[in-house]
Amino acid sequence: MILCNIVAETGKALPLGASLTQEGVNFAIFSRHAATVTLVLFESSEPNSPRVEIPLDKREHKTGNIWHCFIRDLKAGTCYLYRADGPYFPEKGQRFNPHKTLLDPMQRH
């Protein structure tokens, strides 16, 4: 897979996680407090693999508290992470840091 000309279509809010279809992959992740969410796609699972970061637009890629997008032509096994930014209030359990990447809590093995 070559990571060029990737376009994030709107996608669907449900089901949560990464859902493979014949056309591509739908990504959906819940966050009540995130101000921004970025999907990070990797060329391969090798260290220092090329990657592309796709910032999600909250007007197009957010329904309620769920951020979502659809990436056409992605295949099973594509490696991905998220970045999320938002408030930093540890006493409230909010520890957003846009410099850290996050695993998908709904990732299926």
Side-chain angles (χ1 to χ4, degrees), residues 6-76:
I6 300 265
V7 175
E9 298 177 21
T10 301
K12 298 178 182 177
L14 295 173
L16 292 175
S19 302
L20 181 64
T21 71
Q22 290 183 344
E23 292 81 30
V25 179
N26 189 78
F27 295 92
I29 188 167
F30 174 89
S31 181
R32 181 172 290 132
H33 300 290
T36 64
V37 171
T38 300
L39 175 64
V40 184
L41 297 174
F42 293 88
E43 183 75 31
S44 75
S45 61
E46 296 298 316
N48 300 315
S49 171
R51 70 175 185 259
V52 64
E53 298 199 13
I54 304 165
L56 302 183
D57 181 332
K58 65 181 172 185
R59 295 172 301 223
E60 184 178 349
H61 301 115
K62 188 176 181 206
T63 302
N65 294 320
I66 300 174
W67 296 80
H68 50 83
C69 70
F70 181 81
I71 307 296
R72 194 165 295 281
D73 298 326
L74 281 188
K75 306 293 181 209

Side-chain angles (χ1 to χ4, degrees), residues 74-89:
L74 281 188
K75 306 293 181 209
T78 300
C79 296
Y80 69 98
L81 295 169
Y82 289 100
R83 291 187 192 281
D85 196 7
Y88 187 81
F89 298 115

